[in-house]
Structures are given as C-alpha cells and as structure tokens.
Amino acid sequence: MTTTETTATEVATAAASGASATDRFHTDKSPFEAVKNTPTERVDLLAREVLSAVHDTIRRHRVTYDEYNALKAWLINVGADGEWPLFLDVWVEHVVEDVATDHRQGNKGTIEGPYYVPGSPECGAHGTIPMRDHEDGTRLVWEGRITSTDGTALPGTVELWHADADGLYSQFAPNLPEWNLRGTFTTDPDGAFEITTVRPAPYQIPTDGSCGKLIAAAGWHAWRPAHLHVKVSAPGHEQLTAQLYFPGDPHNDDDIADAVKPELVLDPQSMPDGSQKIVYDFVLDPEKG
Ligand code: DHB
Ligand code: FE
C-alpha cells in the first residue's frame, strides 16, 4: 500500500502510520549514497563503540537470557511494524540534530520527525494552508520574515506541516485529504510571509505498536507537545528544520522526543475574532565555503 491509498474503513493504527513512515523514508532518501565513501576506520570505530556500550550494559545489569530473547523479539517486531523511523526519530534524532547544527549563529532548529513530505502545495507569501472546510482548531495567523545572520532580507520558502486538532498527520493517518495541513509558502522579495493555519493538538506517538510496548513496559508516556513543523530555505543558506511549540503545554518539559528548546516556544496573542496571532522570524546561516 502506498501512503495515499488509505480506505474509509481504516483507522489510525501504529502499523498503518509506521508502514507509511517507512515507505516515505525509502521513497525520499538514498541514505547509503551519502556515506558511500566513509572510510572503514570510521565504520569500525562507530560500530565497535555502540556494541561495547551494549556489552557494558549487559554486564553491569546482568541481563538474562529471557531479557535477551525479549529484546530480540521486540527488535524483530519494530521492523515488522515499520516503526524504525518512529523509534529513531523519537529517541535518537535529537542528538544528531544538536551535533549537526551546533555551529549555527542563526535560528535554533530541532528534529524533522517521520512525517515530512516534500512537494506540498504552493501557497504564496500570504496564504492559507490546505485544510478542510470546517477544520477544527483555533485559527492561527503567523507573520514572519526570513533574514540572513547579517540582517539581510532573504526571499525563500517556508514549508509547514503539522497535525490536526485530533493530533493526526495527513498521509500517515487515514481519511484525511492528501495535503491537509501541509503547504509551501514562498516569501515576498523582502523575506516576509503571513500564514493562516489552525492550532494543532498535542501528539501521541502510536501506542499500539512496538514503540508503544516499550513505553508501557518502561512506564513512560507517549506524548509530544503540540507543534508546528517547518523547513525554511533560501539560496546560499543552510536549510533550517525546526518545530515551534505553544507556551503552557504540559509536555513542553517532558517531550518524549526531547525536541523542545526554549527559543522554539511561540508567544501567541489572542485576537478579538477568536484567532491567535503569532510573530516568529527566521535567521539562516550562510552556507560555508
Ligand atoms: C514522531 C512524530 C512526530 O510528529 C514528531 O514530530 C517526532 C516524532 C514519531 O512518532 O516518531
Ligand atoms: Fe510531529
């Protein structure tokens, strides 16, 4: 099944969204191509250190054969459920992102997560994201501008994608229009944009698959705070992947994916018509070399 061939009888199961996230990853990325010239010494070093961390944990905590077999079965199931993108993006990606962007002078970013889809509909510089006629959720009107680290205006694009008021992502949960709450905004020549969308709900990572089993067995919770995902691009500048959060969300301090940073929390203002206005700008770093 492809990501868009969902039927009216399907419900949002972990297996369905996991399989979609796995399909998506294989469609968009050729992950081995980018590392094909990695020296054997680096592979040897990384593989040995990861395995040795596992060995140390086993020795320190005297892991039993029953626990080893449960781990083996669980790892097999993560793959069968298609949940490797979910697992890695929730529990590993945030550290990769920190390392990849710690040289930046401009905006802080955060993880991409498993639900980005390239090529969302073009919405102009002042536009409304694709949504259903009676899309639930408080209307958000977001004004912003893209500049370079030296203050120069940067015409560019803001790709925005987020969950709906039920915490569901189009193309990964059934019965949603293909591009619901996914849009590409191309700024004015002075880098300015104004986006109308709705406020997303907090998001619970699927609990009915293997990641959910780990969460339950470890006594964790499955919540991410409500968030807007963005990719911000401008010629000659490093692309910024970020998420924006809302003040007061109970999960801003204990996000399962550890992806919240104080710089990424918005300051929405309530307007007389019931909508909320946000102002949030982006500063991008020039590409090096
Ligand atoms: C996951 C989902 C998200 O929406 C996100 O931003 C990060 C991770 C997940 O289910 O893995
Ligand atoms: Fe998300």
Side-chain angles (χ1 to χ4, degrees):
M1 190 177 69
T2 69
T3 51
T4 50
E5 285 168 3
T6 47
T7 67
T9 54
E10 279 179 90
V11 290
T13 61
S17 54
S20 299
T22 298
D23 281 354
R24 183 81 256 158
F25 185 74
H26 286 310
T27 309
D28 291 342
K29 305 204 167 113
S30 52
F32 299 119
E33 191 55 29
V35 295
K36 66 174 192 265
N37 297 323
T38 303
T40 51
E41 293 75 19
R42 183 162 171 86
V43 181
D44 171 57
L45 176 74
L46 297 182
R48 255 186 313 113
E49 283 205 12
V50 169
L51 288 170
S52 124
V54 173
H55 302 161
D56 287 350
T57 304
I58 294 168
R59 287 187 206 286
R60 208 166 44 248
H61 300 287
R62 303 192 59 78
V63 169
T64 65
Y65 255 101
D66 285 344
E67 289 169 332
Y68 171 67
N69 283 326
L71 171 67
K72 206 162 163 181
W74 182 79
L75 289 168
I76 292 166
N77 289 343
V78 174
D81 292 347
E83 285 202 343
W84 280 118
L86 273 59
F87 175 86
L88 289 164
D89 295 350
V90 166
W91 285 301
V92 181
E93 187 187 354
H94 68 100
V95 188
V96 181
E97 194 276 335
D98 270 348
V99 170
T101 62
D102 62 5
H103 62 282
R104 287 190 183 169
Q105 310 288 307
N107 269 74
K108 287 274 182 225
T110 192
I111 65 170
E112 174 175 318
Y115 299 144
Y116 170 65
V117 185
S120 62
E122 173 57 50
C123 303
H126 302 251
T128 299
I129 202 165
M131 65 169 85
R132 292 164 288 184
D133 283 347
H134 301 288
E135 192 69 46
D136 281 347
T138 305
R139 286 288 173 282
L140 281 183
V141 179
W142 168 14
E143 287 172 19
R145 194 157 171 262
I146 311 177
T147 57
S148 186
T149 44
D150 68 0
T152 320
L154 284 181
T157 59
V158 178
E159 290 174 86
L160 173 65
W161 73 101
H162 61 85
D164 67 11
D166 294 321
L168 300 175
Y169 284 87
S170 61
Q171 302 192 36
F172 297 89
N175 309 326
L176 292 169
E178 185 176 16
W179 294 104
N180 210 55
L181 304 178
R182 294 176 182 276
T184 300
F185 298 82
T186 300
T187 71
D188 288 334
D190 67 349
F193 59 87
E194 189 197 87
I195 296 173
T196 300
T197 186
V198 293
R199 209 172 141 142
Y203 168 84
Q204 196 174 19
I205 76 157
T207 52
D208 55 338
S210 298
C211 291
K213 282 227 169 66
L214 171 62
I215 288 168
W220 300 341
H221 71 75
W223 289 97
R224 298 217 57 225
H227 56 278
L228 303 171
H229 289 269
V230 287
K231 273 189 189 285
V232 185
S233 314
H237 286 72
E238 292 187 32
Q239 187 181 58
L240 172 71
T241 300
Q243 300 182 21
L244 302 173
Y245 303 93
F246 297 88
D249 191 302
H251 298 293
N252 282 346
D253 294 327
D254 70 345
D255 176 13
I256 181 104
D258 247 318
V260 181
K261 300 177 186 179
E263 300 87 343
L264 300 173
V265 180
L266 297 163
D267 181 20
Q269 305 297 320
S270 295
M271 304 306 281
D273 67 357
S275 68
Q276 293 184 338
K277 180 176 162 175
I278 54 187
V279 177
Y280 194 92
D281 299 331
F282 295 109
V283 179
L284 301 187
D285 283 66
E287 263 163 7
K288 288 179 296 287

